[in-house]
Amino acid sequence: MTYNLIKNNLKIVIPIFFLLILLGMKTYFSSNMCSEFLRINYIKDFQIYLTGKTDLPQLKVLICHGSIIEQNLEKEYYLVLFSKQIYFLFSHIFLILSALVMKFLKFNNMEYLFNLCLYFIFINIIFNYPIGLNFFNELIINHLIILFVLTLPTKVFDV
Amino acid sequence: MFKLLKEYSIILIILLAFIDYDIFVFFAICYFIYSIFSENKIIFDKFIKKLVYIEMFCFLILIRFLPIFNNKFLKIYNNISQQNYLSLDGKFYSENVFLDLQTFYFGLYCNNISQTHTGYITLFEGINLSCPFTSGYGFIFDILSIGINVWYLSVVTSFIALLILFLFYFKNAQNLNGKKFILLTLFFLSPPVNFLIFRLNIDLLIFLFLSFIVFNEKHKYLRNLILIILTFTKLYPIVFLLSFTMLDIIKAKSFIQPLNYISILVGSIYIYLHTIQKGTNPFSVDNQSFRSYGINNDSRYLEDIFKLPKIFFFVAILCLILIFSISFFKKIKFKREINYEIHSVVFFLGTGIFVNYDYKLIFLFFLAKKFIEIDNNFLNIVLFLFIYSSPSLLHAYEKYYKLIVNDEIFVLDFSFYILYSLCIAILIGYLKDIFINIK
């Protein structure tokens, strides 16, 4: 029965499987090589400055995204590791590509929506945003837009 | 019970705006999508509509003026403001009530030679301004002057403008019900409108003048005169001279429109002189991506991210837009009974090239009204998701969507480009009409 359930929902199970593997790898490597993450250490009302100016290689920047580089208790701010390039690549370029792949593989609307949400959660976790209402940020709008635009070819509209 | 909840849900959603506007935005999007796809029709009775009007009155007018009578109400004032347009210092309670109008009037006050004070402290944030001070608008405002108290004048102007805005909403909403009523109400509660009211930018006055002209057009001379004056004020209203010219050509089925051409020429000369005098290049202006829109702005961010020339991204984006536009054009069936949406289309295409604050998106009202009337789900989704993500919901590290102070996160707003492409497709439709039907 479980086998049949998995077999019938491969378009949902496989992405979850990949997501879990990626998150597992991310957790394993980050625990070994990164300093503390902001989401664990944040003090209320401290200001946050993001910076990509670092000598670290890009792979390490990716794994340690969101870790604290500097904490200033006097001036009440954090300096946090953040790469504009990597963030843009994941949150925009890969997002469009994954949407196109799903369209190509003829995912139905529910599978499509589910996978986009999964991707959206993945982006939030990979960049170390804390879990909370902030999941509903700008990215979800982009997900929805892509979803609706890609379902367009069946429709003709009057203006 | 479920039916009752469904009918009263709009009341609850609007109430959220008074508690925390950032939460409201998300739930409004969910409610919007639900109302679009719901198979059960929602019908509001008179009582519910009256409650909505009361809420809208509070949102558009009452809450804006309460802090003026008592400082304690500033907390509520901040609750209905999105975090994006509050202070950029990470501490949220910026209290710059009607800031843009105050600075605009102070600029005019400084032009007055017989002024008694040379300084002014903005209410309530307490920014110190001193003469000489220019409002930053057209250079005609370097000549005009006022001698009245800046704050009192700001309050009176704001009250009149917001009252007219509320009446405008009421006039448009009173004959609607169900989904259409929801969409129109959500438009007037949207982040760009809220942003505009918060700042009380002079764009609100321009919008009100324009709306009056669009729906009560009688005299071409008066119409063009008003539009020229508006162009002298903020330059961009010249696009409305273009849209009215297009409509005149279609109506008269003739290219001979000398009055319009002269008006456009006068406006263009003024813009040219203004650019020379102020020395500003519209392509060099930039702004934070989370509260502004424009191809030039996005190109600037992409240039910064990928370290390639800006022109490369600008052209690439234009090519993508063109591909989308052609695809949309093939799917649109054009009808030409009502055509006021062209004002929004031309405005959006014109301002979308540069960099503009999101509060200018109130001018998409004419497009929204048209889409609501057409009742097409795709069109409404594209437009409303764009409007509700401008200013965007922010990425956060703390409660809700707290602003990350140094503008490192760039969001390339797909919805902007899809709507932009759609507008190009609509414009091509108009141009096709003009060149095929009119000889």
Side-chain angles (χ1 to χ4, degrees), chain B residues 253-290:
Chain B
K253 293 191 175 178
S254 167
F255 281 111
I256 303 164
Q257 304 292 337
L259 180 68
N260 290 335
Y261 298 143
I262 291 168
S263 304
I264 292 169
L265 186 69
V266 171
S268 306
I269 291 170
Y270 177 81
I271 291 172
Y272 176 72
L273 292 175
H274 177 273
T275 311
I276 289 176
Q277 202 225 11
K278 300 272 179 182
T280 50
N281 176 2
F283 276 98
S284 64
V285 180
D286 55 31
N287 208 335
Q288 293 100 330
S289 72
F290 56 79

Side-chain angles (χ1 to χ4, degrees), chain A residues 29-82:
Chain A
F29 288 116
S30 62
S31 61
N32 287 337
M33 62 170 78
C34 307
S35 54
E36 249 186 323
F37 286 116
L38 183 72
R39 68 174 171 195
I40 300 162
N41 204 18
Y42 182 71
I43 299 170
K44 197 175 183 296
D45 287 338
F46 267 43
Q47 294 194 20
I48 302 152
Y49 292 94
L50 303 175
T51 183
K53 286 174 187 164
T54 171
D55 299 331
L56 298 172
Q58 286 289 303
L59 185 66
K60 195 168 179 184
V61 174
L62 171 65
I63 291 166
C64 296
H65 231 273
S67 59
I68 298 166
I69 296 176
E70 186 190 335
Q71 179 181 352
N72 194 318
L73 293 171
E74 261 180 36
K75 293 179 182 173
E76 297 187 342
Y77 75 84
Y78 289 101
L79 196 62
V80 176
L81 187 63
F82 179 89

Side-chain angles (χ1 to χ4, degrees), chain B residues 370-412:
Chain B
K370 181 71 184 275
F371 285 180
I372 290 169
E373 280 166 12
I374 293 169
D375 199 15
N376 177 289
N377 285 353
F378 173 77
L379 295 177
N380 280 321
I381 285 165
V382 168
L383 180 64
F384 274 80
L385 285 186
F386 170 59
I387 286 174
Y388 264 79
S389 61
S390 312
S392 61
L393 298 179
L394 290 164
H395 298 260
Y397 273 110
E398 223 233 327
K399 191 187 170 204
Y400 307 140
Y401 323 104
K402 184 172 178 177
L403 180 66
I404 289 175
V405 289
N406 57 347
D407 188 31
E408 284 285 315
I409 294 181
F410 162 59
V411 176
L412 185 67

